[in-house]
């Protein structure tokens, strides 16, 4: 069954490499004792049995779409180019410096200073990128702890992660990466044979509630989606389109 996903994540377009692929795997959940009702409409849904939950409160086996981000972002950039979108890369110090007469959308991630918004902050994340040793199924943990284990196989490489470090957390990224790798190997022992291809460090744009709204100057804001910004991106884009129409119209 496919209906649970936004069609743009199910079939992001024709062409060779969109970066979206589907994987079967397990989601282990500690934040609740019951799986949410919507879980049952996910493709290939099956609740995990007590011998499969690995000490978590609950869990499910399911098929999900995954975005191989470098390829997916490249694909989106190409689509925008084909649609005639002009791209200019530059730092914006103040939204007021953008041309008047055009609708401005501020989607600058954790750059809360652009919106004068102290509520948005950055939570650091670290990924370890590993060579492909044949792991096909994903593992995802949804936990309240600041460390967890994700194993996401992509074509030709496997990305492992699971850390949320507030801006003032002094733990060096290399130490976090070591921890992440050890936890991933404990879950999927074949990863012990993988070569480390690289490390990725990024900042999740966290806000107590995401902001998708028009301010009193007519600027459309869309930021603060934390660790789920890709998951909710097409829904947010629909809302931004609607808001832009209200400002432009
Ligand atoms: C380690 C890690 C793992 C993650 N895993 C997942 C996941 O599994 N699923 C999921 O859905 N999400 C995940 N996320 C979160 C996801 O990456 C973010 O929610 C998403 O990237 C937010 O998108 P955005 O466009 O709002 O902001 P960003 O991706 O931060 O993009 C903002 C852009 O604005 C630009 N910018 C900022 N300030 C300025 C300025 N002053 N002038 C000009 N340009 C500016 C930046 O350079 C950047 O290009 C993860 C994030 C991290 C760090």
């Amino acid at each position: 069954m496919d209906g649970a996903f936004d069609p743009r994540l199910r079939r992001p377009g024709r062409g060779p490499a969109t970066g979206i692929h589907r994987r079967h795997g397990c989601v282990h959940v500690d934040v609740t004792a019951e799986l949410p009702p919507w879980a049952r409409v996910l493709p290939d849904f099956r609740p995990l049995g007590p011998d499969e939950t690995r000490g978590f409160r609950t869990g499910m086996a399911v098929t999900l779409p995954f975005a191989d981000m470098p390829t997916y972002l490249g694909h989106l950039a190409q689509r925008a180019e084909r649609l005639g979108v002009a791209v200019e890369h530059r730092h914006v110090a103040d939204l007021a410096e953008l041309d008047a007469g055009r609708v401005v959308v501020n989607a600058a991630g954790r750059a809360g200073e652009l919106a004068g918004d102290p509520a948005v902050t950055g939570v650091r994340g670290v990924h370890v990128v590993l060579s492909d040793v044949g792991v096909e199924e994903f593992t995802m943990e949804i936990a309240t702890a600041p460390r967890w284990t994700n194993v996401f196989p992509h074509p030709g490489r496997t990305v492992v992660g699971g850390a949320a470090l507030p801006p003032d957390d002094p733990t060096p990224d290399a130490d976090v990466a070591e921890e992440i790798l050890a936890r991933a190997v404990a879950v999927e022992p074949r990863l012990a044979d993988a070569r480390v291809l690289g490390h990725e460090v990024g900042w999740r744009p966290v806000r107590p509630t995401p902001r998708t709204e028009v301010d009193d100057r007519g600027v459309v804001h869309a930021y603060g989606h934390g660790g789920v910004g890709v998951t909710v991106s097409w829904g947010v884009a629909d809302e931004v389109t609607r808001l832009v129409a209200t400002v432009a119209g």
Side-chain angles (χ1 to χ4, degrees):
M1 190 168 141
D2 243 345
F5 300 134
D6 189 297
R8 292 158 294 189
L9 278 182
R10 276 187 279 142
R11 288 182 212 94
R14 296 210 173 88
T18 60
I20 301 292
H21 59 99
R22 293 163 60 116
R23 295 275 168 175
H24 190 68
C26 289
V27 182
H28 300 276
V29 182
D30 241 359
V31 293
T32 163
E34 299 290 333
L35 292 172
W38 52 258
R40 292 175 187 280
V41 302
L42 294 175
D44 306 323
F45 169 83
R46 173 178 72 78
L48 295 181
D51 55 335
E52 297 175 293
T53 51
R54 295 192 7 248
F56 283 72
R57 293 169 76 193
T58 185
M60 58 182 153
V62 72
T63 299
L64 296 177
F66 284 83
D68 187 8
M69 288 309 287
T71 308
Y72 182 52
L73 289 177
H75 162 73
L76 293 180
Q78 278 176 12
R79 274 186 64 181
E81 194 183 336
R82 281 199 298 274
L83 290 168
V85 175
V87 178
E88 178 191 342
H89 292 277
R90 75 176 160 101
H91 180 79
V92 177
D94 188 326
L95 291 173
E97 77 187 54
L98 299 171
D99 284 354
R102 293 192 296 191
V103 179
V104 174
V105 178
N106 169 30
R110 70 184 179 111
E113 68 268 19
L114 261 185
D117 182 350
V120 64
T121 182
V123 169
R124 200 164 98 237
V126 176
H127 280 163
V128 184
V129 184
L130 300 172
S131 62
D132 181 1
V133 288
V135 175
E136 291 288 334
E137 300 215 336
F138 77 85
T139 299
M140 185 189 295
E141 294 181 354
I142 303 179
T144 48
R147 302 284 199 275
W148 62 93
T149 302
N150 284 342
V151 176
F152 294 159
H154 293 289
R157 65 197 183 109
T158 297
V159 176
V160 299
L165 301 114
D168 54 357
D169 189 310
T171 317
D173 294 334
D175 292 5
V176 180
E178 283 297 320
E179 253 186 74
I180 284 172
L181 193 50
R183 283 199 312 273
V185 169
V187 168
E188 183 51 82
R190 280 178 293 172
L191 292 175
D193 296 329
R195 274 179 303 117
V196 175
L197 301 179
H199 297 94
E200 296 171 342
V201 179
W203 294 86
R204 300 176 181 90
V206 170
R207 195 173 184 272
T209 52
R211 184 178 185 201
T212 311
E213 65 178 5
V214 183
D215 71 16
D216 51 15
R217 292 170 303 170
V219 173
V220 179
H221 297 278
Y223 61 83
H225 296 91
V228 295
V230 180
T231 310
V232 300
S233 57
W234 283 104
V236 174
D238 286 343
E239 180 62 4
V240 167
T241 305
R242 191 186 68 76
L243 293 174
V244 166
T246 65
V247 176

